[in-house]
Every structure is written in structure tokens, then in C-alpha cells.
Amino acid sequence: MSMIVKDISFSYSKHKILNKICFEVKGGDCVAVLGTNGVGKSTLLKCLNKVILAQSGEISIKEKTLKEMSGDELAKLIGYVPQNESFSDSTVFDAVLLGRKPYIKWDVTKNDLEIAENVINALSLDKFSLRKVNRMSGGEMQKVAIARALAQQPLVLLFDEPTSNLDLKNQLEVIQIIKDIVREKQISAIVTMHDLNLALRFADKFLMMKEGKIYATGGKEIITRENILEVYGVDVSIENFNGYDVVIPN
């Protein structure tokens, strides 16, 4: 399975946000999208999920373009978790079961219920199953949002700053959950991130954006002092500590 993004461009009025973005993501890839505020990271994810329509270019999965897909078809292939996910006054179980909506024709099936239950168990949310989501902590709500996306059984997961507003423990736990699921299911995750050190722990591929374009793409070899200076305007040193590369501002 591949998601192929070819020459995607998008503008708000006359302000160009994305300019001919091209990349490919394969099953098993954990991809971090990096860049400064306002560079177009969130807009890119919204184009990848057809929340907004790219004004030129093409996005395809399994050799079919997003433009050709219905809403239900798209939801079966792509799971999207925005920065600030909203929930109605529902229980955790009902919120996760909502991820099965693209598959439900007349009524919820036994299979739908089993999938929701399995996802809840996998994310260790079973003890909260009947709790109201809007009464949970930020980290717990983030897990519910991830669980709802996983219940869709997508081939591609899109996360917009999934660790924002989380404490250190929950940041590490959430990225590890995503990473484990991607490897186990051999699906793909594309994640916008601000924290370079967290990105280095999570991702095996990186897209570095500058001025609405892909400045550099590749593995950890592109996370260099020179590229960080060019993209972020900050001089850094990169050291290895306990087996992890660490970015340290100079």
C-alpha cells in the first residue's frame, strides 16, 4: 500500500500555503512533518484527508485518487485526528464505535462492537469504557481520539500535533502507541510535530517544510545542523545520548 502525493498546491485567497508538494508513504512508515508555525503542516494533513480540497495536484491510495472516492470510501482508508478533537456528551465506547460509521448500513453489527472493544482494550481504555469522554484528562481524550480513528481500520493515519498539551509521560506513551500500531498493522502514520527530539524518537521518515514546500525528505540523515538552521533559523548541535539523537540549541 502506498499513498502518493503529487504536486499538491493550496492557497487561501492569494496567499500560497502549499506549493507543489510531492512525496510517497508506504505501509509501516512513521512520517514526521516538521517546520515552523504557519508553514502549512496542518493544511497539508487536511488536503490529505479531503477536509479541504487541494487546488491542483493529485493524491492517491491503492491506485485510486481521493477525488474519485466517496466520503465512506475515504473514511475506510484514512483516519484523521486533528489538534483539538471534539466529543459529544458520549461514553468512551460510543465515541470509539463512531469510528465504525463508514461500515454501518442499517445497524451496528456484532463485528462493529468487537472491533470497538478490541481497540479500546489495545489502548488500555477498557476501565474507562463507560465514562463520559468530556470528563477525562487530555491524555486520555487523546487516546480515545486515536481509538476512534483505529476503529475505522484505515490504511493511513493522520495526526495533527497529537502530543500538544500533553505531559511528558503521555507524550511518550501516545507516540509509542501510534508507532506500535503502525508496525503491527503495517499501515502508515503521518504526524505533524514541533518537538524535534520527540520526532527523532518516533519517526523513521521526515518531511521538512519551508515556505510551503518540501525542503528536505528522507530518514534521520536529513536531520542535520544545516537543515535545522535553514528551516528553523536556529543553530543547534546534534548529540547521541543513550542511543537517541538529541537536538540541542546552541
Side-chain angles (χ1 to χ4, degrees):
M1 187 286 303
S2 294
M3 170 181 267
I4 299 173
V5 180
K6 185 177 180 182
D7 291 331
I8 287 299
S9 295
F10 182 84
S11 300
Y12 287 112
S13 187
K14 295 182 180 180
H15 181 50
K16 180 77 77 173
I17 304 296
L18 302 176
N19 190 2
K20 294 187 176 180
I21 300 291
C22 297
F23 62 91
E24 180 177 355
V25 179
K26 297 182 178 179
D29 286 346
C30 290
V31 182
V33 183
L34 307 174
T36 58
N37 290 334
V39 77
K41 302 187 299 295
S42 296
T43 300
L44 174 61
L45 288 198
K46 289 177 182 177
C47 286
L48 296 182
N49 195 35
K50 218 163 73 170
V51 172
I52 57 177
L53 296 176
Q55 290 152 349
S56 63
E58 187 174 273
I59 304 165
S60 61
I61 302 176
K62 298 178 70 174
E63 300 181 353
K64 189 173 182 180
T65 68
L66 264 59
K67 291 179 181 178
E68 299 174 294
M69 296 180 191
S70 67
D72 281 350
E73 283 182 293
L74 188 67
K76 292 176 182 179
L77 294 175
I78 300 176
Y80 172 55
V81 181
Q83 282 189 39
N84 298 304
E85 184 69 287
S86 60
F87 293 94
S88 61
D89 187 29
S90 63
T91 65
V92 169
F93 189 88
D94 287 340
V96 174
L97 185 61
L98 192 60
R100 298 301 301 162
K101 185 179 178 182
Y103 300 89
I104 297 170
K105 294 181 179 179
W106 299 105
D107 200 359
V108 174
T109 66
K110 182 181 178 180
N111 185 53
D112 294 321
L113 295 172
E114 287 178 349
I115 289 170
E117 184 176 357
N118 289 339
V119 169
I120 286 169
N121 291 339
L123 272 71
S124 301
L125 289 167
D126 44 301
K127 61 184 177 182
F128 303 118
S129 189
L130 298 179
R131 183 178 294 184
K132 297 288 188 179
V133 182
N134 53 18
R135 296 177 189 172
M136 301 175 76
S137 70
E140 291 163 350
M141 288 179 70
Q142 192 67 25
K143 288 183 183 179
V144 176
I146 293 170
R148 183 163 67 183
L150 289 174
Q152 295 173 223
Q153 297 186 315
L155 295 180
V156 180
L157 286 164
L158 307 176
F159 295 96
D160 197 1
E161 293 291 338
T163 58
S164 64
N165 303 318
L166 298 184
D167 60 47
L168 180 59
K169 179 183 178 181
N170 277 303
Q171 286 181 6
L172 294 173
E173 187 174 0
V174 164
I175 64 165
Q176 192 60 54
I177 286 170
I178 296 170
K179 194 169 185 176
D180 289 345
I181 288 166
V182 166
R183 288 179 172 172
E184 178 187 347
K185 304 294 186 182
Q186 279 300 293
I187 59 178
S188 307
I190 304 174
V191 183
T192 66
M193 306 186 84
H194 279 302
D195 189 327
L196 291 175
N197 289 319
L198 205 58
L200 283 166
R201 277 179 172 262
F202 163 75
D204 44 51
K205 293 188 177 180
F206 304 84
L207 301 176
M208 299 184 79
M209 295 183 65
K210 181 182 179 183
E211 297 176 353
K213 298 180 180 180
I214 300 293
Y215 177 79
T217 182
K220 290 184 179 180
E221 73 278 356
I222 73 162
I223 308 299
T224 64
R225 178 183 180 183
E226 294 76 18
N227 284 347
I228 292 171
L229 179 60
E230 187 65 32
V231 169
Y232 291 93
V234 177
D235 187 28
V236 302
S237 297
I238 300 177
E239 306 292 342
N240 190 277
F241 181 75
N242 285 345
Y244 293 101
D245 288 333
V246 180
V247 177
I248 306 168
N250 290 334

